Amino acid sequence: QVHLVESGGGLVQAGGSLRLSCTASGLIFDDYAMYWFRQAPGKEREGVSSINWNGGSTYYADSVKGRFTISRDNAKNTLYLQMNSLKPEDTAMYYCVGSRAYYHGGHPDSNGMDYWGKGTLVTISP
């Protein structure tokens, strides 16, 4: 059974940093491109960032470009999202997602993803 378990969320002040982690089990991790999506209350789900199987290709939404860094450690079956210069508008539930589909490196589509974690809550105070 596949599990994606996010951690690292919390409450921080604007301008602060958080590092999200996602540990995967039950799958061959480096068979999967990995994604971070987020959803704020009352808003649509947003594809924040993605990374191909070996970390050689990444994508960032314009809203986080220059502030967030995605990375992965295939030896540890773990995905990361380093979030710096956080803003109140970054407040959302953040989800770790895996997909074996072809990685195009463009804006992620939440449809067709294979596995989703349950999410970790990030709250940024003004």
Side-chain angles (χ1 to χ4, degrees):
Q1 191 170 6
V2 174
H3 294 282
L4 300 177
V5 180
E6 302 94 337
S7 61
L11 171 64
V12 298
Q13 288 188 328
S17 297
L18 283 172
R19 188 194 197 200
L20 304 185
S21 299
C22 169
T23 301
S25 60
L27 53 72
I28 302 173
F29 188 62
D30 54 9
D31 276 354
Y32 289 78
M34 298 299 296
Y35 300 77
W36 289 101
F37 283 81
R38 69 184 180 186
Q39 189 163 22
K43 295 190 176 181
E44 291 189 358
R45 186 179 293 162
E46 176 187 16
V48 174
S49 185
S50 67
I51 189 167
N52 76 329
W53 73 276
N54 67 356
S57 182
T58 58
Y59 162 87
Y60 298 95
D62 287 344
S63 57
V64 306
K65 201 172 292 183
R67 301 187 298 121
F68 290 11
T69 303
I70 193 171
S71 62
R72 65 190 295 163
D73 185 337
N74 287 348
K76 295 182 178 179
N77 283 10
T78 302
L79 174 73
Y80 303 100
L81 187 68
Q82 178 67 44
M83 306 188 297
N84 298 330
S85 302
L86 285 161
K87 304 175 181 180
E89 50 263 45
D90 294 318
T91 294
M93 186 72 80
Y94 283 71
Y95 299 92
C96 170
V97 183
S99 173
R100 291 193 67 180
Y102 171 74
Y103 180 78
H104 54 69
H107 182 73
D109 183 349
S110 61
N111 295 314
M113 296 291 169
D114 292 305
Y115 300 107
W116 290 75
K118 293 185 178 181
T120 186
L121 182 62
V122 171
T123 305
I124 311 303
S125 63

